[in-house]
Amino acid sequence: MENGWTESAAAWIAELGDGGDFGRACVLDRPMLERVARGDFATALDVGCGEGRFCRMLAERGIKAIGIDPTEPLLAEARRRDPAGDYRPGRAEQLDFADASFDLVVSYLSLIDIPDPAAAIAGMARVLRPGGSLLIANLASFSTAGNWSVDLLGRFRFAIDHYLDERAAWASWRGIRVRNWHRPLGSYMALLLDAGLELRHFAEPAPYGGDPRRVARYRRAPWFVIMEWQKPSS
Ligand SMILES: C[S@@+](CC[C@H](N)C(=O)[O-])C[C@H]1O[C@@H](n2cnc3c(N)ncnc32)[C@H](O)[C@@H]1O
């Protein structure tokens, strides 16, 4: 069990269903697709595409997308749902594409899963064409350093600790058990800047629908970030 994804694939596919889980369907999809709509993208690479949902969304918008992922059962599900799609085995750290191949590179909740973000981000920048964008949705670093707990007065609190210490931890929910990485936001920013990319958009998206109790919980704590980084044109 290197990272838990193969063993968790069936539960993950069930969790996402047709519409996506809460974080995707009610917080991230809309602002991610708004960024896509603002750009001029004909080709895309989705790094850590999972069962292919964002590739399918890109294809619906006329964008020719390739999805890569190291987890075979997720790729099999992506191909089953989208037989005309292009889904390939691969790791973010070793992108098997020529320089400047894509208008858009997407990392949709996959940076937290990638063991070597320095190699991954350098590779994502390399395969982008000048002027192209790297669009990232990630768990907020405050979130990966935090936990819900009950304080001494019985109040439900989100406590952040050991924020500056990079570490891997196993996360479990509804039959899924996978290894995620916590890294301070500054670590990701430094790697993106070192790759020569320029920040064009940064957001901490709020829920736009769904179960009100869940909406309230997602508004209490830092949960997600969205960033769009552009490769300079010259
Ligand atoms: C949280 S899922 C996100 C999947 C998809 N992007 C989505 O939003 O539904 C994280 C994905 O990262 C993939 N992954 C794990 N290690 C990876 C690596 N080194 N390079 C690329 N993807 C990786 C997993 O197989 C999994 O599909």
Side-chain angles (χ1 to χ4, degrees):
M1 178 180 296
E2 185 205 348
N3 60 15
W5 275 105
T6 300
E7 298 79 358
S8 299
W12 177 254
I13 291 165
E15 172 77 1
L16 290 195
D18 289 332
D21 58 359
F22 177 83
R24 287 168 178 74
C26 299
V27 189
L28 289 170
D29 282 351
R30 189 185 287 175
M32 286 289 279
L33 290 169
E34 276 171 13
R35 295 314 299 177
V36 170
R38 290 172 70 101
D40 183 17
F41 308 125
T43 58
L45 176 67
D46 185 359
V47 178
C49 64
E51 51 73 79
R53 64 189 304 280
F54 206 66
C55 286
R56 296 192 292 277
M57 290 175 165
L58 293 173
E60 282 165 14
R61 285 156 181 80
I63 297 172
K64 192 171 153 34
I66 297 175
I68 65 142
D69 200 285
T71 306
E72 276 297 339
L74 295 179
L75 285 176
E77 179 67 6
R79 293 183 189 116
R80 189 187 71 76
R81 291 192 181 199
D82 177 18
D86 188 342
Y87 300 97
R88 307 182 189 183
R91 289 185 179 276
E93 295 92 335
Q94 286 174 304
L95 294 178
D96 193 14
F97 299 97
D99 297 358
S101 296
F102 299 98
D103 300 331
L104 172 67
V105 174
V106 175
S107 170
Y108 196 136
L109 293 182
S110 63
L111 276 179
I112 33 139
D113 289 272
I114 291 171
D116 184 348
I121 287 171
M124 292 180 199
R126 179 183 67 75
V127 303
L128 264 184
R129 68 152 165 83
S133 284
L134 169 57
L135 183 59
I136 295 170
N138 206 23
L139 282 180
S141 298
F142 303 125
S143 165
T144 52
N147 274 305
W148 289 100
S149 59
V150 178
D151 72 11
L152 291 173
L153 297 175
R155 295 173 303 196
F156 201 41
R157 294 292 195 203
F158 191 77
I160 295 170
D161 209 350
H162 299 288
Y163 178 75
L164 290 178
D165 300 333
E166 296 200 13
R167 57 192 180 273
W170 290 89
S172 303
W173 72 107
R174 286 187 283 284
I176 301 160
R177 184 171 182 270
V178 293
R179 192 186 54 186
N180 283 170
W181 292 84
H182 164 68
R183 304 176 178 108
L185 181 59
S187 300
Y188 288 117
M189 298 306 243
L191 294 173
L192 290 154
L193 290 167
D194 286 352
L197 300 174
E198 295 175 354
L199 184 62
R200 292 283 175 247
H201 178 76
F202 183 94
E204 295 172 301
Y208 47 80
D211 172 5
R213 283 167 306 174
R214 216 156 181 191
V215 170
R217 192 149 59 92
Y218 273 63
R219 293 191 66 86
R220 284 193 60 182
W223 222 285
F224 297 119
V225 292
I226 291 177
M227 299 188 270
E228 182 174 351
W229 292 80
Q230 191 174 37
K231 185 162 174 170
S233 294
S234 55

